[in-house]
Amino acid sequence: MFDVSKIRNDFPMLRREKELIYLDNSATAFKPQSVIDAEKAYYTDFSANIHRGDYELSYRADQAYDGARKTLADFIHADTDEIIFTSGTTQGLNMAAYGLEKLIGEGDVILSTLAEHASNILPWFRLAERTGARVEFIPLEKDGHLSVENFRRALHERVRIVAVAQVTNVLGHCADIKEITRLAHEKGAVVVVDGAQSVPHKKVDVRDLDCDLLAFSGHKMCGPTGIGVLYGKMEILEKLEPMLLGGGANKRFSSHGDLILSRIPERFEAGTVPIAQAVGLAEAARYLQSLGMDSIEAYERELKQYLSGKLKELDNIEFYNPGSEAAICSFNVKGVFAQDAGTYLSSHNIAVRSGNHCAKMLVEHLGVDATVRASMYFYNTREEADRLVEVLKDCTLEKCIDIFL
Ligand SMILES: Cc1ncc(COP(=O)(O)O)c(C=O)c1O
């Protein structure tokens, strides 16, 4: 089993902020020293641009960047050329929505859910507006999860694109992407997966899922900010229109405006790429693999059950997702605004996120527009969960007001 106290030692932030209980991991995760060192090594040891220089230093940078692509491919069981480095999930999903324009037309449908993060719905709204297609929403189950049965009912001949999160970021429900993809493919639809909250926490095997595109962010999986991945099945990438054009993405062009694009994946990485971040992200993938993705998932699931059991016992807490898989607990303190509860927790050295968490349509399902979200990662502990519960027990409107006086 997991030795969390040993693991915590790997994280400078956890060593530095001894009193802090960090429960905002769905927003961003702390970095182990090895990731910081890997990123630093690029700047101190082989700082050159890639795929442009005919000198030794540049080859070293090439090797590190190309090697990072291979590491990320292995991490999600893809082919190396199917990995496109992006700035994060948001850019990846925008690239997907932009690039699929030719595959969709007037009257066609993009299927999604009310639980999506802004990054996995706004690009689709824009695509619908540009093409005359429309977005339809698969009804969620009462607890907010996306069932295969509801998906099956919502699917029809006009659906061209399915865009859903594998794990949702407020309620932490996990969708059965494999079955959703199987059904969608029967209708000839393309499946785009928002993997921002799944890839950091569980083994994701894109070949097994058979999804067409999947986006995720480095910073949520112990990697650097400013880097992410858009995975695409080669046959889909061949049809995808690049969102950005520029250096590195073209083989040749002339004053007549003719253009020959680079091979895939470079075609999708115009401009100077985030080299240091890619090197750091590869180290993050190696770090997670050294812990074991299955062990991470099992540990977090147990932590979620532990905290859920305690939160359910609190009379002053409205708890929205006791039954979901991910280590995310979303709740409100009765009679207290979510942000006030967040500030109260902060006054006790507990960092959570309060608000709508960029999933602004979820209010239409949940009936509340703001929640407190405690999101855990593999370095969180039962003791931290206990402390959260202790502090919440005493959280009242009066005590929150006292903080501001
Ligand atoms: C489910 C989900 N999708 C997309 C995003 C956007 O990720 P990023 O801000 O790293 O682009 C997030 C970030 O919180 C998320 O939770």
Side-chain angles (χ1 to χ4, degrees):
M1 212 19 213
F2 246 54
D3 185 348
V4 181
S5 53
K6 189 162 166 282
I7 288 170
R8 286 175 73 88
N9 251 330
D10 295 337
F11 289 81
M13 281 297 294
L14 294 173
R15 292 201 306 265
R16 204 182 97 99
E17 298 283 339
K18 285 207 183 343
E19 303 302 316
L20 178 71
I21 296 179
Y22 183 71
L23 300 175
D24 196 17
N25 293 285
S26 291
T28 202
F30 288 161
K31 325 299 171 200
Q33 188 64 49
S34 60
V35 168
I36 297 164
D37 290 346
E39 194 171 355
K40 191 172 154 207
Y42 166 74
Y43 292 116
T44 52
D45 300 349
F46 52 97
S47 198
N49 213 327
I50 57 147
H51 301 162
R52 286 151 170 81
D54 297 307
Y55 50 92
E56 198 47 45
L57 205 56
S58 177
Y59 293 143
R60 274 192 71 191
D62 287 355
Q63 273 174 351
Y65 186 75
D66 298 340
R69 200 191 299 283
K70 165 102 178 64
T71 302
L72 268 298
D74 292 345
F75 188 64
I76 59 166
H77 202 199
D79 284 338
T80 308
D81 288 347
E82 294 174 322
I83 299 295
I84 299 162
F85 283 121
T86 63
S87 67
T89 308
T90 303
Q91 190 190 345
L93 293 169
N94 273 273
M95 283 168 68
Y98 182 92
L100 291 172
E101 184 165 337
K102 279 196 204 133
L103 298 192
I104 193 159
E106 188 150 0
D108 285 339
V109 166
I110 301 157
L111 260 191
S112 193
T113 81
L114 289 179
E116 302 307 315
H117 186 281
S119 299
N120 196 30
I121 196 65
L122 298 181
W124 303 113
F125 281 155
R126 189 165 60 182
L127 178 64
E129 203 179 296
R130 278 211 310 258
T131 57
R134 64 176 189 282
V135 175
E136 288 180 1
F137 294 100
I138 311 153
L140 296 170
E141 295 293 342
K142 205 159 176 272
D143 67 355
H145 88 270
L146 167 59
S147 66
V148 170
E149 207 31 57
N150 283 0
F151 176 72
R152 196 194 303 271
R153 276 197 228 112
L155 191 61
H156 55 80
E157 301 300 328
R158 295 309 302 264
V159 174
R160 309 292 350 121
I161 297 170
V162 175
V164 290
Q166 186 171 15
V167 173
T168 55
N169 71 315
V170 180
L171 297 178
H173 288 294
C174 187
D176 183 349
I177 297 297
K178 190 171 174 174
E179 188 57 8
I180 285 172
T181 302
R182 195 184 67 73
L183 294 167
H185 284 173
E186 279 178 8
K187 300 271 188 246
V190 171
V191 177
V192 183
V193 179
D194 177 347
Q197 300 295 346
S198 58
V199 175
H201 301 278
K202 59 194 278 173
K203 191 184 276 168
V204 172
D205 180 330
V206 288
R207 265 186 226 158
D208 181 51
L209 295 177
D210 199 32
C211 58
D212 299 294
L213 294 157
L214 173 130
F216 58 96
S217 300
H219 68 96
K220 293 181 197 289
M221 53 178 279
C222 298
T225 54
I227 181 98
V229 166
L230 176 64
Y231 154 80
K233 232 185 231 175
M234 190 45 80
E235 69 206 62
I236 297 292
L237 292 182
E238 279 162 359
K239 294 182 191 140
L240 206 71
E241 192 67 23
M243 188 169 76
L244 299 177
L245 295 177
N250 72 84
K251 241 191 218 158
R252 210 167 301 137
F253 63 92
S254 75
S255 60
H256 306 297
D258 49 336
L259 163 70
I260 301 172
L261 291 171
S262 302
R263 63 185 286 280
I264 295 168
E266 282 84 13
R267 174 182 304 183
F268 298 103
E269 297 179 354
T272 295
V273 290
I275 307 164
Q277 292 84 342
V279 172
L281 178 55
E283 185 51 40
R286 276 191 291 272
Y287 180 80
L288 295 180
Q289 267 167 334
S290 75
L291 300 180
M293 292 311 292
D294 288 339
S295 305
I296 288 174
E297 184 184 7
Y299 176 79
E300 289 183 19
R301 197 165 285 210
E302 191 267 333
L303 207 52
K304 162 69 178 276
Q305 278 164 6
Y306 181 77
L307 178 55
S308 291
K310 301 236 157 186
L311 285 177
K312 276 196 279 190
E313 283 169 13
L314 297 186
D315 292 337
N316 64 334
I317 297 296
E318 192 93 55
F319 183 19
Y320 302 108
N321 63 337
S324 71
E325 298 87 343
I328 297 173
C329 291
S330 284
F331 56 86
N332 270 309
V333 181
K334 290 177 188 163
V336 178
F337 283 124
Q339 275 84 357
D340 292 343
T343 308
Y344 180 77
L345 290 171
S346 172
S347 73
H348 289 80
N349 263 324
I350 300 175
V352 294
R353 170 105 171 253
S354 308
N356 54 49
H357 320 290
C358 296
K360 294 186 182 165
M361 303 178 301
L362 190 62
V363 56
E364 297 168 38
H365 179 85
L366 209 57
V368 286
D369 59 7
T371 59
V372 181
R373 181 183 71 181
S375 55
M376 299 178 282
Y377 211 1
F378 55 82
Y379 43 66
N380 288 120
T381 62
R382 281 185 175 217
E383 290 71 32
E384 290 180 318
D386 287 341
R387 177 72 186 139
L388 171 69
V389 170
E390 277 314 301
V391 173
L392 281 173
K393 261 184 202 161
D394 280 344
C395 182
T396 58
L397 182 59
E398 293 69 31
K399 291 203 171 162
C400 289
I401 292 169
D402 281 350
I403 297 174
F404 295 108
L405 296 179

